[in-house]
């Protein structure tokens, strides 16, 4: 869903009629200075690390001071001074339920999808990543800037909810990491009881957990007051935390994004989505459910907004310390910490800005949202025209899954054209034109919801077809991709009632349309999620099988081929040298696969029969190997389905589906959605009509049609036309020759050189 109604109640807060007399629940005047202070100190730390003013060893010492001295002092001080009488416990339990829910969802999904060799470590660290927020170094200054003048009691909530992760969830994640250590053999001689004891001991030895427990005990023993003789000491350590922790955060970011790989990008997208999108929505939703008794109060509305802002806090740098300690998943955790930190800043600022607006007229907001839809559709339209043209020129649209991908592009293009048309038609009075453009708009938009799941499903069927008798029916998938949206729009037109007070296409047929959109989104998310999980497991099983079969073939087949090569060398008089080369062509082919036709024909021209057999280690014929390499390269280009690009595209589109579903459920479950709903709506608009930009990023720059010719053109302009032609003509043959030398002849050359020197 991507719009908002012009009904005046849509964005009003729960505290009654919206108007200028309603005071805001927070102050935004100090928010920007607070963000500038936090990220300025982070930038200073990053510069110090990048320029090596502070070395890695020194940064580690600074991190130890923050985590073992300063932060424990902060927690001890605030546990002693915490006033439990002012705490609204539904807020605490809503954060608790939200964190536990996200923790176990991430944990279960990781166990189901991840590689069996490392799934326990991933489950533990990924779950901690998605739930442990940077509450103290980054979160507290922002909350202080927003609520010190209006709700100062909110500041102590951070110290109340932080132990949820430190004392409840993190030990579970550590247990999974210890299980991974035990399974990998590092502590395999130890019993399971001993492993459990190590986890408990590690949690108790953690100074953060230890000082939280001591602080709670001292709270009741000392009567909420720190003794004068130790007050200055505790304050000195606690006051050193803020700037030092932010500076260390900047230091810990140095060089982390270089560790990104293709395999980590998918995990990063899912983890950041869970942390910055799912977590704040669940936090706010849980508060709405648990604090239902005070749903009409001003404080309830303020608390629900605070719960949303708390969920947006980025991941704490201590998670990277945990990953480094266990030496597991360091690339994903450190890169994700950097990205989530910088993505959270604009989300927090926009959310706070919307919450501090005392009064909003829905009519200009609806017009603003319509203008955003119109503008993003124009930009996306050009990107989609380019992407479709590239797909047609590359001639990939005739095979699976590209034939489904181009249908996704067409659906996105039609959605943009329809939204541009809607911007003009909706201002008129023609009912027929309204219905026609609405039908085209939502048929294409629903189709963009459906196609990502169908594309991943087709790739899963292609993977299963290699090992099982599974047939792909492109016609059936095409009918589903366009037929299901047509049925959904027909149901909306037949059962919905046209709203006369809205210009927004998302509410043109009222609640019926929103429910129908939710159903389509749910089905699409389930199909795409299940297909992605099964595809990941299939890919891992296939890679494991390939490694096992490769090791078996090396053990069993290499000796036989070497024996044949030796016998050929021992009888040089009976077999000509050129025939020897072609006789060994069968040993140059890829293991466990038939020889290419080009190699067979090459050996046939030399009048040497080539027997079909197993493959060995080396071949003496450069000619045969060069032809084989050319054939393999051509086969790769013909059969490349661009798996990584399709998976990343469908994954990002699934994230947009999740955002749209959250928007629909938010509108259905809340009589007055509130101001934060506006932020979610603008986000959904950009995702819905900006899909073309995502498609262009993955498929608009084809390597053979765009990138390679562009690079050659740059080389020709830089070096001169004549030299470029000579270099480009020889570069491919040189690359293939180098490749076959490194594969088949390098080891033998090393042995020959060593023998000559020793002689």
């Amino acid at each position: 869903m991507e719009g908002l109604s012009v009904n005046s109640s849509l964005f009003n807060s729960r505290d009654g009629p919206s108007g200028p007399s309603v005071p805001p629940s927070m102050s935004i005047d100090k928010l920007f200075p607070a963000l500038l202070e936090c990220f300025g100190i982070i930038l200073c730390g990053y510069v110090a690390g990048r320029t090596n003013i502070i070395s890695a060893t020194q940064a580690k010492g600074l991190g130890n001071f923050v985590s073992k001295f300063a932060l424990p002092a902060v927690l001890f001080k605030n546990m002693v001074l915490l006033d439990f009488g002012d705490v609204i416990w539904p807020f605490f339990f809503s954060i608790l339920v939200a964190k536990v829910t996200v923790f176990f969802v991430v944990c279960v999904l990781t166990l189901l999808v991840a590689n069996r060799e490392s799934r326990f470590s991933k489950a533990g660290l990924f779950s901690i990543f998605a739930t442990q927020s940077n509450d103290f170094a980054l979160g507290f200054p922002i909350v202080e800037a927003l609520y010190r003048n209006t709700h100062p009691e909110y500041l102590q909530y951070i110290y109340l909810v932080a132990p949820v992760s430190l004392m409840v969830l993190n030990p579970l994640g550590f247990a999974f990491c210890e299980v991974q250590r035990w399974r990998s053999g590092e502590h395999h001689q130890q019993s399971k009881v001993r492993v459990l004891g190590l986890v408990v001991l590690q949690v108790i030895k953690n100074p953060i957990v230890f000082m939280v427990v001591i602080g709670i005990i001292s709270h009741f023993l000392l009567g909420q007051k720190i003794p004068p003789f130790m007050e200055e000491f505790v304050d000195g350590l606690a006051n050193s935390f803020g700037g030092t922790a932010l500076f260390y955060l900047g230091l810990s970011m140095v060089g982390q994004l270089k560790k990104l790989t293709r395999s980590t990008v998918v995990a990063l997208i899912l983890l950041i989505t869970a942390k910055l999108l799912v977590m704040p929505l669940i936090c706010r939703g849980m508060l709405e459910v648990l604090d239902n008794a005070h749903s009409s109060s001003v404080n309830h509305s303020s608390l629900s907004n605070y719960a949303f802002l708390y969920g947006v806090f980025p991941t704490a740098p201590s998670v990277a310390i945990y990953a480094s300690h266990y030496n597991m998943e360091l690339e994903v955790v450190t890169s994700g910490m950097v990205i989530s930190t910088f993505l959270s800043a604009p989300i927090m600022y926009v959310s706070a800005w919307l919450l501090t607006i005392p009064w909003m007229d829905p009519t200009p907001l609806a017009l603003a949202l319509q203008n955003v839809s119109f503008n993003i559709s124009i930009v996306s339209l050009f990107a989609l025209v380019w992407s479709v043209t590239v797909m047609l020129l590359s001639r990939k649209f005739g095979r699976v899954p590209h034939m489904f991908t181009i249908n996704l592009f067409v659906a996105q293009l039609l959605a943009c054209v329809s939204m541009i048309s809607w911007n003009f038609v909706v201002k008129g009075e023609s009912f027929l034109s309204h219905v026609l453009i609405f039908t085209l708009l939502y048929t294409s938009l629903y189709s963009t919801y459906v196609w990502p799941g169908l594309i991943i499903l087709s790739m899963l069927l292609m993977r299963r077809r290699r090992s099982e008798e599974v047939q792909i029916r492109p016609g059936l998938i095409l009918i589903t991709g366009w037929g299901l949206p047509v049925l959904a729009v027909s149901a909306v037109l037949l059962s919905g009632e046209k709203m006369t007070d809205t210009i927004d296409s998302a509410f043109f047929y009222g609640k019926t349309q929103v429910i129908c959109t939710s159903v389509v989104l749910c089905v699409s998310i389930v199909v795409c999620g299940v297909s992605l999980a099964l595809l990941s497991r299939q890919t891992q099983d296939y890679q494991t099988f390939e490694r096992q079969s490769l090791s078996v073939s090396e053990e069993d087949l290499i000796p036989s081929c070497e024996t044949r090569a030796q016998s050929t060398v021992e009888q040089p008089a009976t077999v000509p040298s050129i025939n020897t080369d072609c006789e060994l062509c069968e040993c140059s082919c890829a293991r466990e696969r038939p020889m290419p036709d080009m190699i067979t024909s090459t050996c046939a021209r030399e009048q040497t029969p080539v027997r079909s057999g197993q493959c060995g280690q080396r071949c003496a014929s450069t000619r045969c190997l060069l032809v084989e390499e050319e054939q393999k390269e051509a086969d790769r280009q013909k059969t490349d389905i661009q798996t990584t690009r399709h998976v990343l595209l469908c994954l990002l589109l699934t994230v947009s589906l999740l955002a749209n579903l959250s928007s629909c459920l938010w509108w259905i479950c809340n009589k007055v959605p509130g101001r934060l709903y506006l932020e979610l709506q603008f986000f959904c608009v950009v995702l819905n009509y900006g899909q073309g930009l995502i498609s262009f990023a993955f498929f608009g720059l084809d390597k053979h049609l765009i990138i390679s010719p562009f690079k050659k053109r740059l080389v020709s302009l830089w070096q001169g036309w004549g030299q470029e032609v000579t270099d480009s003509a020889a570069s491919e043959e040189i690359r293939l020759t180098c490749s076959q030398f490194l594969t088949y002849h390098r080891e033998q050359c090393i042995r020959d050189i060593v023998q000559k020197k020793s002689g």
Side-chain angles (χ1 to χ4, degrees), residues 368-589:
L369 197 60
Q370 184 68 27
N371 290 333
V372 171
S373 304
F374 178 76
N375 295 332
I376 195 69
S377 296
I378 294 176
V379 177
S380 184
L381 180 62
F382 286 102
L384 285 166
V385 170
W386 177 279
S387 301
V388 172
T389 304
V390 169
M391 184 73 75
L392 294 175
L393 293 177
S394 64
R395 300 180 181 179
K396 296 178 181 178
F397 61 91
R399 60 175 183 262
V400 178
H402 290 82
M403 68 168 58
F404 306 133
T405 308
I406 197 170
N407 278 271
L408 171 64
F409 293 169
V410 171
Q412 293 171 346
L413 190 147
L414 290 176
C416 293
V417 172
S418 302
M419 175 48 65
I420 294 172
S421 303
W422 178 265
N423 187 67
F424 299 102
V425 171
V426 74
K427 299 175 183 177
E429 300 295 334
S430 175
F431 175 77
L432 180 60
S433 61
H434 287 180
V435 174
L436 289 177
I437 298 300
F438 174 85
T439 302
L440 178 61
L441 172 61
Y442 265 79
T443 299
S444 55
L445 195 59
Y446 284 169
S447 186
T448 63
Y449 296 163
V450 172
W451 276 116
L454 296 179
I455 291 172
I456 295 297
L457 179 61
S458 67
M459 296 177 65
L460 174 64
L461 295 177
M462 289 181 65
R463 176 71 67 182
R464 295 178 66 90
R465 187 176 59 178
R466 299 182 183 180
S467 56
E468 304 176 12
E469 293 296 331
V470 178
Q471 294 184 353
I472 301 177
R473 301 180 182 274
L476 181 60
I477 295 179
L478 290 172
I479 292 174
T480 304
W482 292 103
L484 184 61
V486 170
L487 291 177
V489 173
S490 300
V492 172
L493 294 175
L494 293 176
S495 59
E497 181 180 356
K498 182 179 178 300
M499 306 294 291
T500 58
D501 60 344
T502 181
I503 62 172
D504 192 349
S505 60
F507 296 92
F508 201 63
Y509 281 91
K511 189 174 182 179
T512 302
Q513 179 184 345
V514 178
I515 295 175
C516 187
T517 303
S518 303
V519 173
V520 175
L521 289 168
C522 286
V523 173
S524 303
I525 290 173
V526 170
V527 172
C528 197
V530 173
S531 299
L532 279 171
L534 294 177
L535 180 64
S536 177
R537 295 299 297 269
Q538 287 280 337
T539 303
Q540 293 164 11
D541 294 342
Y542 180 76
Q543 292 173 348
T544 303
F545 173 77
E546 274 193 334
R547 288 195 298 267
Q548 293 174 352
S549 62
L550 182 60
S551 62
V552 172
S553 63
E554 288 177 348
E555 293 175 0
D556 298 341
L557 302 177
I558 288 176
S560 63
C561 219
E562 288 179 345
T563 303
R564 290 177 51 220
Q566 292 175 1
S567 64
T568 305
V569 174
E570 290 173 358
Q571 301 174 358
T574 58
V575 182
S577 60
I578 188 65
N579 291 347
T580 301
D581 291 342
C582 290
E583 180 69 13
L584 291 177
C585 282
E586 60 182 297
C587 292
S588 69
C589 65

Side-chain angles (χ1 to χ4, degrees), residues 66 181 196 312 395 489 527 725:
V66 170
R181 274 186 174 181
L196 180 61
V312 180
R395 300 180 181 179
V489 173
V527 172
V725 172

Side-chain angles (χ1 to χ4, degrees), residues 35 44 91 160 172 258 390 420 453 500 538 600 603 615 759:
L35 289 174
C44 290
F91 177 84
L160 183 65
L172 296 178
K258 293 181 180 179
V390 169
I420 294 172
T500 58
Q538 287 280 337
T600 306
C603 294
C615 307

Side-chain angles (χ1 to χ4, degrees), residues 114-125:
N115 193 335
R116 296 176 182 177
E117 298 175 357
S118 59
R119 60 181 179 180
F120 287 100
S121 62
K122 289 182 178 179
L125 289 173

Side-chain angles (χ1 to χ4, degrees), residues 582 585-586 588-589 593-606 608 610 621-636 638 736:
C582 290
C585 282
E586 60 182 297
S588 69
C589 65
R593 78 176 181 89
M595 292 172 46
D597 296 336
M598 296 176 67
I599 298 179
T600 306
S601 61
T602 302
C603 294
R605 286 196 298 271
E606 306 293 342
T608 302
V610 179
S621 173
T622 304
R623 184 178 180 183
C624 292
L625 287 173
L626 194 59
V627 173
E628 183 206 356
E629 290 292 335
E630 293 174 350
Q631 180 69 21
K632 284 165 41 176
E633 182 67 22
D635 292 342
R636 273 195 296 267
K638 290 181 180 179
L736 292 175

Side-chain angles (χ1 to χ4, degrees), residues 112-174:
L112 292 175
V113 175
N115 193 335
R116 296 176 182 177
E117 298 175 357
S118 59
R119 60 181 179 180
F120 287 100
S121 62
K122 289 182 178 179
L125 289 173
F126 289 175
S127 301
I128 294 175
F129 180 96
T131 53
Q132 183 168 348
S133 302
N134 194 353
D135 298 332
F136 306 109
L138 191 59
F140 185 84
I142 294 173
V143 173
E144 184 179 26
L146 291 173
Y147 290 104
R148 174 170 289 279
N149 297 330
T150 55
H151 294 281
E153 69 276 8
Y154 287 2
L155 299 178
Q156 64 179 354
Y157 287 2
I158 288 184
Y159 301 103
L160 183 65
V161 299
V164 171
S165 292
L166 298 173
M167 302 180 65
V168 179
L169 299 179
N170 285 8
L172 296 178
F174 297 152

